């Protein structure tokens, strides 16, 4: 029985650090998160054509600050300092109707931010309040006023807030510390914005591009608003305020080929043929860019299309360039980002500077492409039999014994024997056959060596999926996996690495950590060893300038065996699979 000893995590830590150094660096979100979504009170304001909806989650410590609201005034108290007030561009307060006021569990809001000390977590009790303001006319501006103490300017409560205009987030989650004025663009809600320049969303441009350079793939990604794209291609819909599913599909069928024809990416000086990896409608959320759900509303003004063009490469290229040509009177600058395994470089494309250029500087960061190397197997309790040489030696003996009976002259017999023996010496390194040594004790694999072998085989298996073509993946899997198991692992991992919440994108495994391994039963024939293993993987999908992470944990019976003097997986029986938070 093989058990991981208490001191073995030290070995694992060293191995893990090495593997992490060799693996691709995960990118952080480009959005700057403030932690405001975890404030004691959270306000969500949704502005539509005929109404404004305010949803509040008020923490117990802030009930006094919102006393006027609990007394029945949806806007503010008589002194103007209590409650969260809304006023129009003339300074007139809007009258709202409280639709819901009840205790609820706090909503767990998932973003990339880490809760700071003292900030509340999801799951605690809050007072949920929903207030609706019916609009008789559309104001040109709205001023949000937080509850303030008498004579004070700062908010009397910690309020994190977010505002949507026609489903478009005007800002990322921010703190509402003082009165803030929002200028509303009813003709094009995309351009609604707060007067305070610190209150804005990251994805505020109608076009953004991203150039990803990875070891075996280059991707050019485009985010573009439908209304903006209509400046360069005809996009007709029956109802611009609600594009139905059939029209959405037809639009995507045209948008993808349009950008394929506009291919202006060159790799190492040569134009490369792109693959349309993905074209889909997406939305902006506090968690970044997310695929649009089938049931969600899509309008021509707010619709956002995401296009990914992929280019397969045999390894990191020397240089990549991407030219952009879509500008007009309103689009004079396109925010872009060049992202490689070790860095992110923001850049603004303009008519005067319309080219993105990436030059391979990875060696300056001591970056190396992770390799898939066979894991050599020791002879163990086996004998390495050079059977061709042994057969030739036997032939020489038979020739010596039967030479006279065959009436061969001595000189011919000796010459033939010499030739056979010389040939036996020459072929000694070739055609060897491993057989069990009947005199050796039962085969034992040292604990540390077993852990390194299992970790290495698992790492090789997942690393094979760094490659992009099916044939390359199969070839790399064959280094560490045998026979029909290659197809099983290929199909299973393809399914398990898919991130449905990211539109079916496949995650790249960044880290494989062996947590536990115990040998099951004695060794089988030909050094066949079975272990019950638990391991954890961390996978990521990188697109639209963000990293989306997935962590899974597996438990399985894994059988390994030397095949042609290298360790390989020969059987894998999955026992349990869990997705970790």
């Amino acid at each position: 029985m093989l058990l991981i000893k208490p001191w073995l995590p030290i070995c694992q830590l060293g191995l893990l650090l090495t593997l992490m150094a060799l693996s691709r660096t995960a990118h952080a979100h480009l959005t700057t998160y403030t932690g405001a979504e975890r404030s004691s009170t959270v306000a969500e304001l949704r502005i539509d054509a005929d109404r404004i909806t305010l949803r509040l989650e008020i923490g117990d410590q802030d009930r006094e600050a919102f006393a006027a609201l609990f007394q029945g005034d949806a806007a503010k108290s008589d002194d103007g300092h209590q409650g969260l007030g809304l006023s129009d561009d003339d300074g007139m307060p809007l009258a709202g109707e409280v639709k819901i006021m009840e205790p609820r569990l706090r909503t767990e809001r998932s973003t990339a931010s880490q809760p700071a000390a003292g900030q509340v977590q999801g799951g605690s009790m809050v007072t949920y309040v929903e207030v609706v303001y019916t609009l008789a006319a559309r104001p040109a501006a709205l001023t949000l006023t937080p509850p303030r103490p008498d004579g004070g300017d700062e908010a009397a409560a910690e309020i994190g807030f977010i505002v949507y205009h026609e489903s478009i987030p005007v800002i990322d989650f921010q703190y509402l510390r003082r009165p803030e004025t929002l200028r509303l663009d009813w003709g094009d809600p995309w351009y609604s914005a707060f007067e305070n320049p610190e209150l804005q969303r990251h994805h505020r441009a109608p076009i953004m591009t991203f150039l990803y350079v990875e070891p075996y793939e280059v991707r050019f990604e485009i985010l573009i608003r439908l209304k903006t794209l209509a400046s360069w291609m005809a996009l007709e819909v029956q109802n611009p305020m609600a594009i139905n599913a059939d029209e959405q599909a037809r639009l995507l069928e045209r948008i993808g080929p349009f950008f394929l024809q506009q291919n202006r990416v060159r790799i190492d000086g040569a134009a490369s043929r792109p693959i349309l990896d993905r074209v889909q409608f997406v939305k902006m959320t506090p968690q970044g860019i997310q695929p649009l759900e089938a049931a969600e509303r899509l309008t021509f003004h707010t619709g956002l299309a995401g296009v990914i063009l992929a280019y397969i490469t045999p390894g990191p290229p020397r240089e990549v360039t991407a030219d952009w040509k879509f500008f007009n009177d309103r689009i004079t600058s396109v925010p872009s980002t060049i992202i490689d395994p070790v860095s992110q470089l923001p850049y603004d494309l303009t008519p005067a500077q319309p080219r993105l250029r990436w030059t391979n500087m990875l060696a300056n960061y001591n970056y190396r492409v992770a390799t898939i190397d066979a894991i050599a197997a020791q002879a163990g309790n086996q004998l390495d039999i050079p059977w061709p040489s042994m057969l030739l030696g036997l032939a020489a003996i038979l020739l010596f014994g039967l030479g006279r009976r065959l009436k061969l002259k001595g000189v011919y017999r000796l010459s033939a024997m010499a030739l056979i023996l010389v040939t036996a010496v020459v072929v000694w390194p070739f055609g060897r056959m491993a057989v069990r040594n009947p005199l050796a004790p039962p085969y034992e694999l040292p604990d540390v060596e077993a852990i390194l072998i299992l970790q290495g085989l698992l790492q090789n298996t997942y690393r094979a999926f760094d490659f992009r073509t099916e044939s390359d993946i199969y070839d790399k899997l064959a280094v560490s996996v045998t026979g029909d198991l290659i197809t099983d692992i290929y199909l299973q991992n393809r399914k398990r690495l898919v991130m449905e919440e990211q539109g079916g994108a496949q995650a790249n495994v960044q880290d494989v950590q062996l947590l536990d391994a115990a040998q099951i039963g004695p060794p089988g024939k030909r050094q066949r060893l079975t272990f019950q293993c638990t391991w954890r993987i961390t996978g990521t999908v990188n697109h639209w300038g963000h990293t989306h992470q997935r962590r899974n944990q597996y438990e399985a019976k894994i059988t390994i065996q030397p095949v042609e003097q290298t360790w390989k997986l020969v059987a894998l029986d999955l026992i349990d699979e869990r997705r970790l938070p």
Side-chain angles (χ1 to χ4, degrees):
M1 182 71 69
L2 167 64
L3 296 174
I4 293 182
K5 307 294 192 298
W7 51 268
L8 289 181
I10 298 175
C11 299
Q12 285 182 282
L13 178 61
L15 176 65
L16 180 60
L17 291 175
T18 301
L19 294 173
M20 290 176 66
L22 293 175
S23 64
R24 287 174 292 180
T25 304
H27 305 295
H29 284 256
L30 295 178
T31 307
T32 300
Y33 290 99
T34 63
E37 73 280 0
R38 295 181 179 270
S39 299
S40 57
T41 292
V42 174
E44 181 181 295
L45 195 70
R46 291 187 176 270
I47 304 169
D48 294 306
D50 59 347
R51 69 180 61 192
I52 298 173
T53 304
L54 171 65
R55 298 184 177 96
L56 288 166
E57 291 184 358
I58 303 172
D60 288 343
Q61 62 267 48
D62 297 333
R63 287 182 62 88
E64 184 177 350
F66 287 90
L69 189 60
F70 294 115
Q71 294 169 4
D73 190 336
K76 59 182 179 178
S77 64
D78 293 338
D79 61 10
H81 293 306
Q82 290 184 301
L84 196 156
L86 296 181
S87 55
D88 61 17
D89 44 315
D90 294 325
M92 298 298 295
L94 301 183
E97 181 182 358
V98 177
K99 298 290 187 180
I100 302 174
M101 182 181 291
E102 63 186 19
R104 286 188 184 182
L105 284 175
R106 183 182 297 276
T107 302
E108 177 64 39
R109 292 176 172 85
S110 173
T111 67
S113 63
Q114 297 295 324
Q119 289 182 319
V120 294
Q121 299 273 343
S124 59
M125 293 302 298
V126 295
T127 300
Y128 175 80
V129 182
E130 187 170 304
V131 186
V132 175
Y133 302 81
T134 302
L135 296 178
R138 296 177 180 179
L142 281 177
T143 297
L144 285 68
T145 304
R148 293 174 291 169
D150 292 337
D153 294 327
E154 294 291 324
E158 181 189 67
I159 303 173
F161 81 118
I162 191 167
V163 179
Y164 295 87
H165 188 191
E166 295 287 352
S167 78
I168 296 177
V170 179
I171 59 172
D172 299 320
F173 260 106
Q174 298 284 349
Y175 291 103
L176 183 62
R177 296 189 171 97
R178 60 189 63 86
E180 300 287 359
T181 299
L182 170 65
R183 294 292 171 185
L184 296 170
D185 189 329
W186 291 99
D188 194 345
W190 188 274
Y191 294 99
S192 294
F194 279 91
E195 291 181 351
N196 183 352
E198 294 181 358
L199 299 180
Q200 59 185 359
R201 65 176 183 267
H202 173 68
H203 291 286
R204 58 189 179 275
I207 305 176
M208 298 183 73
T209 70
F210 306 89
L211 179 63
Y212 281 92
V213 182
E214 298 183 353
Y216 305 104
E217 182 182 68
V218 171
R219 295 197 310 278
F220 190 55
E221 302 183 351
I222 304 158
L223 288 174
I224 188 166
R225 197 167 60 121
L226 284 179
K227 185 175 181 179
T228 303
L229 181 58
S231 300
W232 298 287
M233 65 178 297
L235 297 173
E236 298 178 357
V237 295
Q238 293 180 354
N239 183 3
M241 299 307 296
I243 304 175
N244 62 45
D246 290 339
E247 285 187 316
Q248 290 183 31
R250 286 194 291 271
L251 288 173
L252 293 177
E253 288 175 357
R254 296 187 57 215
I255 293 171
F258 174 80
F259 281 104
L260 273 176
Q261 295 170 3
Q262 306 299 325
N263 173 39
R264 288 170 174 258
V265 173
R266 301 182 72 85
I267 299 175
D268 293 337
S272 297
R273 183 177 180 181
I275 300 169
L276 183 60
D277 182 79
R278 193 177 320 158
V279 54
Q280 61 186 154
F281 289 114
V282 298
K283 60 184 177 181
M284 292 182 297
T285 74
Q287 295 80 34
I289 300 297
Q290 302 283 340
L292 192 73
E293 301 294 335
E296 291 185 271
R297 179 187 177 196
L298 178 69
T299 74
F300 194 72
H301 293 284
T302 63
L304 194 64
V307 181
I308 301 180
L309 305 178
Y311 307 80
I312 307 301
T313 63
R318 297 184 302 277
E319 182 184 73
V320 180
T321 61
D323 292 332
W324 186 258
K325 69 174 185 178
F326 298 107
F327 300 97
N328 56 30
D329 293 341
R330 197 161 193 175
I331 309 298
T332 58
S333 177
V334 174
S336 301
T337 309
I338 301 175
I339 304 170
D340 66 22
V342 298
S343 65
Q344 298 184 10
L345 178 64
Y347 189 84
D348 284 332
L349 294 167
T350 65
Q353 298 290 338
R355 171 171 291 184
L356 291 174
R357 183 187 302 275
W358 177 87
T359 302
N360 194 332
M361 304 288 287
L362 298 177
N364 294 347
Y365 297 91
N366 295 321
Y367 175 80
R368 293 186 299 165
V369 177
T371 58
I372 297 176
D373 299 316
I375 301 174
Q378 300 297 324
N381 62 355
Q382 293 185 332
L383 295 176
D384 198 15
I385 307 298
W387 63 267
S389 297
M390 294 185 67
L391 288 178
L392 289 169
L394 179 61
I397 294 172
L398 290 175
L399 183 60
F400 178 78
L402 300 176
R404 291 183 179 180
R405 185 173 299 180
L406 295 174
K407 296 181 180 181
L408 291 175
K409 292 184 179 181
V411 64
Y412 293 121
R413 187 167 71 251
L414 292 175
S415 298
M417 289 174 57
L419 179 61
I420 292 173
L421 291 174
V422 169
T423 304
V425 172
V426 171
V427 300
W428 181 271
F430 307 101
R432 306 178 78 85
M433 179 176 61
V435 297
R436 183 177 179 276
N437 182 358
L439 302 178
Y443 179 75
E444 293 289 344
L445 187 64
D447 292 358
V448 174
E449 186 177 347
I451 291 171
L452 293 175
I453 290 170
L454 290 166
Q455 175 83 53
L457 291 175
L458 288 171
Q459 185 74 33
N460 280 353
T461 299
Y462 287 107
R463 192 174 289 158
F465 289 87
D466 288 349
F467 293 82
R468 292 298 177 257
T469 65
E470 183 175 297
S471 60
D472 283 341
I473 295 173
Y474 267 82
D475 288 344
K476 300 305 179 183
L477 284 174
V479 174
S480 303
V481 184
T482 61
D484 295 337
L485 186 59
I486 294 178
T487 299
D488 292 341
I489 287 179
Y490 176 82
L491 296 176
Q492 291 172 11
N493 277 15
R494 278 291 197 197
K495 180 179 180 180
R496 292 186 179 113
L497 294 177
V498 165
M499 296 177 69
E500 291 84 359
E501 66 273 24
Q502 296 305 321
Q506 180 176 303
N508 294 317
V509 174
Q510 303 294 328
D511 177 39
V512 182
Q513 184 180 8
L514 181 66
L515 302 177
D516 189 25
Q519 187 173 326
I520 302 174
K525 294 181 178 180
R526 299 180 181 177
Q527 299 175 235
R528 191 181 180 97
L529 302 170
T530 300
F531 302 86
Q532 184 156 333
C533 300
T534 302
W535 70 96
R536 183 179 299 159
I537 69 167
T538 301
T540 59
V541 167
N542 299 309
H543 56 206
W544 318 130
H546 295 269
T547 293
H548 308 273
Q549 193 172 85
R550 165 78 61 81
R551 295 172 71 233
N552 286 0
Q553 184 165 306
Y554 302 94
E555 182 180 355
K557 291 181 180 179
I558 295 178
T559 301
I560 64 174
Q561 180 180 327
V563 177
E564 297 179 354
Q565 300 179 344
T566 63
W567 286 105
K568 292 192 178 185
L569 296 174
V570 297
L572 190 150
D573 182 14
L574 188 65
I575 298 172
D576 183 51
E577 175 182 1
R578 285 182 290 165
R579 180 176 176 181
L580 303 178

